[in-house]
Amino acid sequence: MNSIPTFTLNDGNQIPAFGFGTFQIPADGSTQKAVATALRLGYRHIDTAAAYFNEQEVGQAIAESGIPREQIWVTSKLWLQDYGMAAATTGIETSLERLGLDYIDLYLLHQPYGDVDGAWQALETAQKAGKIRSIGVSNMTPKLWEKFIPNFTIKPAVNQVEFNPYFQQQPLRALMAVTDTRLEAWAPLGQGSSQLLHEPLIEQLAAKYGKNAGQIILRFEYQSGVVVFPKSVHETRIASNQDIFDFALGDDEMTALVALDQGHGRHDPDAPGVAARLLGAFDVHAQ
C-alpha cells in the first residue's frame, strides 16, 4: 500500500489528498463495515455528513479500528436545517456526539442557502474552541462564493463541489485561489458515468499505465490539486481506488484531460427552487 500524500490547507493543517466517501451508504451496518474496510486498507480520511444519517457508524468504525485518533482525518457537514448561530452551535455538538469524537478535523456548511452567515459564525467559534480543526463550505458556485465569502472573517479552508474531468470548475477555482481555498471533489468519478469511464482518452491512458479508467481519473484530479474521496462498499474497489500513487501523468496528458472539460455538471446550486427543495428533503433531527 502506498502512503497517502497530503495537501496543506490555508490554515496550516495537512489534509490527506485522498479519502473515503460515505454518501448514500446506509446506516444498517453497511457504513460501519465499509469504513472499517477502508481504514484497514490504509485510508486515513473519512467524509460524512449529518444529512447522510451515518455519522454514528463512521464513529463506531473509527473507535473500533485501533488507529490513533490523530492519524484519521474526519470530515462532517452541517445541514441547512441547523443554520443560524444558535442552531448551528447545537448541530456541531450533535455531530460530535454522534461521531463519538472530541473534535472534528473538517466541518463544512453542506449547502449555501439560508442563514449562512450565522452558521459560519458558529463554525468560527467552534474552531476557536478546538472542537473543529478546519472549517469550510460546500456546493458554492462563483455566484454564491461572491455573495457570502466576503462577509466571512475566517476564509474557508475547503469548498467541496461537484468535480470530474467533464466539470472542472475553472471559474470557481480562480476565485478560490485568492483565498487559497482547497477544492474537494464530490462525484469525482462522475457518479459512475459510463460516458466518462469509457472516454477514449481515459481508456488509452488506462491501457498505457496498466490502470483502470477510475484510477486515471482520480490521478488526474489528485495532480490537479483536488482532494478526492470516492465511495464504494466493495473491498476490491475500495483497494483499487487508492492505487494511484505509483505513477504520474505527463504534462501533455494532463493538458489533454483538461480539454475534456464541458464546463457544467449534473447539479446546479444556482438553479431556482434548489434551496427550497433541499430544505424540505428530509429531517436530520429525526435520527
Side-chain angles (χ1 to χ4, degrees):
M1 182 205 76
N2 303 291
S3 62
I4 294 170
T6 60
F7 291 132
T8 304
L9 298 177
N10 61 11
D11 57 14
N13 289 326
Q14 298 282 322
I15 187 170
F18 194 91
F20 184 73
T22 63
F23 177 56
Q24 292 181 329
I25 305 182
D28 58 3
S30 304
T31 298
Q32 195 273 340
K33 182 182 175 188
V35 173
T37 300
L39 291 170
R40 178 167 49 79
L41 291 171
Y43 285 73
R44 293 295 181 267
H45 175 172
I46 310 296
D47 182 274
T48 183
Y52 297 173
F53 296 95
N54 59 16
E55 286 175 309
Q56 192 162 355
E57 289 199 16
V58 168
Q60 283 171 347
I62 290 167
E64 293 166 10
S65 70
I67 299 163
R69 168 67 186 97
E70 65 275 10
Q71 292 179 20
I72 303 175
W73 181 281
V74 182
T75 299
S76 194
K77 312 176 193 79
L78 185 75
W79 188 242
L80 276 170
Q81 207 176 341
D82 289 332
Y83 281 19
M85 178 70 180
T89 301
T90 303
I92 293 162
E93 293 298 339
T94 303
S95 282
L96 284 163
E97 195 177 312
R98 287 198 178 120
L99 287 160
L101 300 177
D102 296 327
Y103 67 91
I104 297 169
D105 296 276
L106 173 63
Y107 205 66
L108 309 178
L109 298 186
H110 203 153
Q111 300 289 346
Y113 314 108
D115 188 0
V116 169
D117 292 318
W120 186 256
Q121 198 180 341
L123 264 61
E124 290 187 356
T125 301
Q127 185 183 35
K128 288 183 183 121
K131 294 175 180 180
I132 304 169
R133 292 182 65 215
S134 293
I135 56 178
V137 294
S138 185
N139 294 303
M140 278 208 179
T141 61
K143 183 178 168 185
L144 288 158
W145 184 270
E146 292 187 305
K147 176 181 177 182
F148 291 115
I149 304 307
N151 306 332
F152 292 179
T153 305
I154 298 171
K155 302 308 178 190
V158 159
N159 184 17
Q160 185 181 121
V161 293
E162 184 179 3
F163 183 95
N164 61 68
Y166 284 166
F167 186 28
Q168 295 178 36
Q169 299 274 12
Q170 303 291 5
L172 178 64
R173 286 158 80 188
L175 280 175
M176 288 168 56
V178 177
T179 52
D180 192 23
T181 300
R182 181 70 56 174
L183 191 144
E184 287 191 332
W186 64 254
L189 299 172
Q191 293 178 317
S193 160
S194 177
Q195 185 186 354
L196 179 62
L197 292 170
H198 292 288
E199 176 66 46
L201 171 62
I202 290 169
E203 289 189 326
Q204 288 163 23
L205 291 169
K208 173 181 174 180
Y209 288 105
K211 295 290 179 181
N212 62 43
Q215 289 166 328
I216 296 298
I217 293 166
L218 294 169
R219 179 70 201 189
F220 163 72
E221 292 164 346
Y222 163 67
Q223 283 186 225
S224 300
V226 171
V227 179
V228 292
F229 34 87
K231 179 207 86 178
S232 180
V233 294
H234 305 291
E235 181 161 351
T236 52
R237 184 58 56 81
I238 293 171
S240 71
N241 278 343
Q242 68 171 336
D243 189 19
I244 63 166
F245 299 108
D246 58 351
F247 77 106
L249 297 164
D251 292 346
D252 53 339
E253 292 165 343
M254 288 292 291
T255 301
L257 287 162
V258 167
L260 295 177
D261 188 14
Q262 297 173 1
H264 61 86
R266 296 185 179 193
H267 175 58
D268 179 8
D270 292 329
V274 173
R277 178 174 59 79
L278 289 171
L279 190 53
F282 38 70
D283 178 7
V284 294
H285 299 156
Q287 296 190 62

